[in-house]
Amino acid sequence: MDVKIEESWKKRLTEEFEKDYFISLTQFVREEYRMRQVFPPGNRIFNAFDLCPFDTVKAVIIGQDPYHNVGQAHGLCFSVTEGTVFPPSLVNIFKELNRDLGITMPRSGNLERWAKQGVLLLNAILTVRAHQALSHQNKGWEKFTDAAINALNRDREGIVFMLWGNYALQKGASIDTTRHLVLKTVHPSPLSASRGFFGCSHFSMCNDFLRSKGFEPIDW
């Protein structure tokens, strides 16, 4: 199957594209886009991979599924398109960035600037029906994104995995902590941010680790 995804990722994940689950997933997703309103736009489904090639990944942030309101999702977890009102979790991410590194609230919630520096902003589920959170859960995306995480875990060293909330913690449970830095805290949602996300200092800890490995830090 010819999947339109960045070439270095295609090489790493090519076996997944021929598996039964991925063929079934592709059929499901095509039908959903044909019959319903689905996010992100079809050409942005693999945006996280396209903006962050395999060998450039320095850090990974794991989300659950795309924003499901009009004009928000564009294939990067927690990120929104230019000019879109910041969702509450993204507001809290920027608040922690300000507390941790003194970075003022940006004008844009588009995190492509992070992706282009090596931050893989990966949702576990890559598509969603409009206004129906988790509507594409258990269709196969989770297996696919597990394969991506496993490839990084196995074939790279010195990556920072930032796991926020129970879902991300479960998703990253098998990461080899002798080869990578795993940072864990609660989700930045308003429901939980005050229980540990605020004050976690993940952004400065990520950069300190990258520097210790001889890598350029992320300009958050």
Side-chain angles (χ1 to χ4, degrees):
M1 182 181 296
D2 184 24
V3 177
K4 289 180 171 52
I5 189 172
E6 192 275 333
E7 197 60 35
S8 65
W9 281 106
K10 179 178 278 192
K11 290 177 182 177
R12 299 285 176 172
L13 298 171
T14 186
E15 290 183 6
E16 299 302 309
F17 303 143
E18 305 306 324
K19 292 181 179 179
D20 289 344
Y21 88 84
F22 195 86
I23 293 168
S24 296
L25 170 64
T26 300
Q27 292 168 346
F28 167 77
V29 169
R30 282 176 178 161
E31 186 67 8
E32 285 284 285
Y33 274 90
R34 190 176 72 83
M35 297 294 293
R36 304 173 184 274
Q37 188 175 27
V38 177
F39 302 127
N43 63 353
R44 297 292 186 93
I45 291 173
F46 297 111
N47 203 24
F49 301 97
D50 294 338
L51 293 175
C52 192
F54 186 86
D55 291 322
T56 72
V57 177
K58 296 178 179 178
V60 179
I61 298 176
I62 298 174
Q64 193 160 0
D65 72 336
Y67 295 123
H68 52 77
N69 290 326
V70 175
Q72 292 181 306
H74 63 127
L76 307 178
C77 73
F78 295 107
S79 179
V80 291
T81 54
E82 218 62 51
T84 302
V85 174
F86 299 174
S89 291
L90 185 57
V91 170
N92 287 340
I93 289 168
F94 290 146
K95 285 181 178 178
E96 174 57 18
L97 260 176
N98 177 254
R99 189 212 62 80
D100 187 14
L101 291 171
I103 295 171
T104 56
M105 186 77 70
R107 294 180 179 178
S108 172
N110 187 332
L111 302 181
E112 286 186 4
R113 60 188 182 275
W114 294 3
K116 291 174 180 177
Q117 294 179 74
V119 182
L120 182 67
L121 296 164
L122 183 64
N123 276 316
I125 304 160
L126 299 187
T127 55
V128 68
R129 286 181 194 167
H131 316 302
Q132 296 183 47
L134 299 177
S135 48
H136 287 184
Q137 190 175 32
N138 299 324
K139 301 297 184 182
W141 280 130
E142 295 93 338
K143 290 182 181 179
F144 176 74
T145 51
D146 278 347
I149 292 168
N150 290 340
L152 289 170
N153 182 44
R154 180 185 66 240
D155 297 336
R156 293 282 313 280
E157 288 194 22
I159 292 175
V160 182
F161 289 86
M162 301 161 80
L163 307 180
W164 300 340
N166 289 334
Y167 190 89
L169 289 169
Q170 293 169 12
K171 191 84 172 167
S174 63
I175 295 164
D176 184 350
T177 56
T178 68
R179 301 175 66 207
H180 305 285
L181 176 64
V182 178
L183 302 176
K184 304 176 181 180
T185 190
V186 298
H187 195 276
S189 159
L191 298 174
S192 56
S194 61
R195 300 202 303 268
F197 184 79
F198 294 139
C200 72
S201 300
H202 278 192
F203 303 100
S204 59
M205 292 169 71
C206 173
N207 278 352
D208 288 346
F209 179 80
L210 292 175
R211 288 189 192 96
S212 77
K213 297 293 183 181
F215 300 132
E216 280 290 316
I218 305 298
D219 180 5
W220 299 106

